[in-house]
Amino acid sequence: MRMTGAEILINCLLEQGVDTIFGFPGGAVLNIYDALYKYQDKIRHILTSHEQGAAHAADGYARASGKVGVCLATSGPGATNLVTGIATAYMDSIPMVAITGNVASNLLGKDSFQEVDITGITMPITKHNFVVRNVNDLADIVRKAFKIAKEGRPGPVLIDIPKDITAQVTDYEPKEKEEPAKCTKTIRDEDVEKALELINESKKPIIYAGGGVCSSEASEELLELAEKLNSPVTLSLMGMGAFPATHDLYTGMVGMHGTKTSNLAVTQCDLLIAIGARFSDRVISRLDRFAPNAKILHIDIDEAEVNKNVIAEHHIIGDAKEVLKRLNKGIVTKDRSQWLRFIKDLKQKYPLQYSGNGLSPQYILNKIYELTNGNAIIATEVGQHQIWTAQYYKFTKPRLFISSGGLGTMGFGLGASIGASIARPSKKVFNIAGDGSFRMNLNELATAVEYNVPVIVVIMNNHALGMVRQWQNMFYDGRYSQTTLDRCTDFVKLAEAFGAVGFNLTEESQVESTLKEAMSLGRPVVINCEIDRDLKVWPMVPPGAALEEVIVGESDIGN
């Protein structure tokens, strides 16, 4: 059948199972938006307040659902406004397809109005990107983009379409969606056997799991491995939910803000089994003293990650779910009671604990967990509140924690929470924010209100850029350069101005009733929580220190 390029694009999106697009129109994508108008009964478009919000919403949609998120922007500034969102998805291996319009083909490279080389700009932050130069190639490019976004290590793909391509007419033949194959060809029997030797010989193993376990839907296999092995489990920030935080074998997060139990366990173990994790600098801290007594077994889908930051004794390349299935068949259950007693003693000696004056963010997070039975989707912005969330909300399943881990994108959470709520409308969705991060993209409240997306924004308002202030306090002799936010913004009135509901919290006695009311409304809500400006995130490994030198509170400083 004969169709315009714009109509072919929409039909290819429908082939891929796309039901929602997040975007913002402009001149270069007018033909695409005209096609969306014709197909509005089949594909939903969410008009965000800003293209960055569209990218973050597509990202949150993907993280919550496991599907490919889709965002759409016009040329020039519309396209560049997607860049931070694309980079965020790239760093965290999130499948996303970003579609941008561009000036007509004959105007490319001539500094035309609203022209930018978006494929050149995004080359380092996409798995692949395309410029469509022939309308006859458009359908296959769209299909390839979705396959690339999902196969292997997931990530974002960009398709740039000049305006004339969207207007040209050609033949379109529908095709069945091609599901990307699981990455199993690289899993060799001899590698599995060698890994089993290391595992079965170990006396003090620890499992370090990351976001790859969530991406591959391998949490059940991870649980089976841990229980068969009698091994403690620690998670990266991106791994939250890969292993239930309520399980006796869970030791908490590892790294700069990991528990002392996890950090000491990694330091003392004789085998570190890393699964779907990339050994980021926030995890390893001081490299020459990271897991000094351990052999490292690295299981990852991306061979480029192996031996990049730490040297592994052995590795297996492939899909984590399939690797763990094969390993679990060969695990020999051994008595590791002495190692587990050591871990239990550490957990009792160094529990996560908090203190401070007035309203406590940890109390609020524990109350959200209690009232939602741990089944809510929790998105975050970036800062102290993000780490408190990872520490104190007990994630028991994957795809419930949505946060910018690798890039650390302030302003991520609101758009991402909107996307997550649209992906999974039966779930309660919270965005845990700091006042600094929230200000960056608070305009997306208008999006939440327009589409009645019932996200609950909880602002841990310390009137400061809290994490940066903490560093200034600890390492810059209290010189608080540009981190104090004594602004006159009334977040309750702001919420009401957007058409949302606003609450103000100053005491712990208000928390439960306010949360219950917010959850009952079925509308966007902003809860401003006035917390102490000088609250800190503990534990913390100082820069240049080893994991075992983790500080658990003010009393440790200087010791």
Side-chain angles (χ1 to χ4, degrees), residues 459-472:
I459 304 172
M460 304 297 184
N461 188 356
N462 58 2
H463 300 271
L465 299 177
M467 188 64 87
V468 185
R469 180 183 174 87
Q470 177 169 333
W471 277 62
Q472 289 173 336

Side-chain angles (χ1 to χ4, degrees), residues 199-261:
I199 291 170
N200 290 328
E201 288 172 1
S202 67
K203 296 179 180 178
K204 300 188 293 182
I206 187 167
I207 297 169
Y208 154 50
V213 175
C214 301
S215 296
S216 65
E217 311 289 351
S219 56
E220 290 184 9
E221 288 77 11
L222 174 61
L223 178 62
E224 182 181 348
L225 174 68
E227 291 183 339
K228 281 185 172 180
L229 193 56
N230 286 322
S231 170
V233 178
T234 184
L235 299 176
S236 70
L237 182 70
M238 289 302 302
M240 289 295 115
F243 190 83
T246 52
H247 199 286
D248 285 346
L249 291 173
Y250 182 58
T251 62
M253 192 163 62
V254 66
M256 177 179 282
H257 294 295
T259 63
K260 189 158 186 174
T261 298

Side-chain angles (χ1 to χ4, degrees), residues 20 22 46 48-66 69-71 84-86 88-89 92 94 96 238 376-382 385-386 399-405 408-425 427-433 437-438 440-445 447-448 453-457:
T20 306
F22 303 89
I46 302 295
T48 56
S49 298
H50 190 281
E51 291 91 352
Q52 184 176 338
H56 292 328
D59 181 316
Y61 181 97
R63 294 186 199 230
S65 67
V70 181
C71 56
T84 297
I86 293 170
T88 301
D92 289 346
I94 305 303
M96 186 167 82
M238 289 302 302
I377 292 175
I378 309 293
T380 78
E381 305 289 351
V382 169
H385 57 278
Q386 175 191 33
R399 304 201 182 281
L400 297 182
F401 179 65
I402 296 177
S403 191
S404 172
T409 306
M410 293 176 70
F412 167 79
L414 183 52
S417 64
I418 290 169
S421 184
I422 288 170
R424 300 176 72 178
K427 289 283 188 186
K428 296 291 184 187
V429 178
F430 289 78
N431 177 37
I432 310 301
S437 283
F438 180 65
M440 289 197 170
N441 281 324
L442 60 80
N443 50 358
E444 295 306 333
L445 270 180
T447 308
V453 182
V455 296
I456 301 171
V457 181

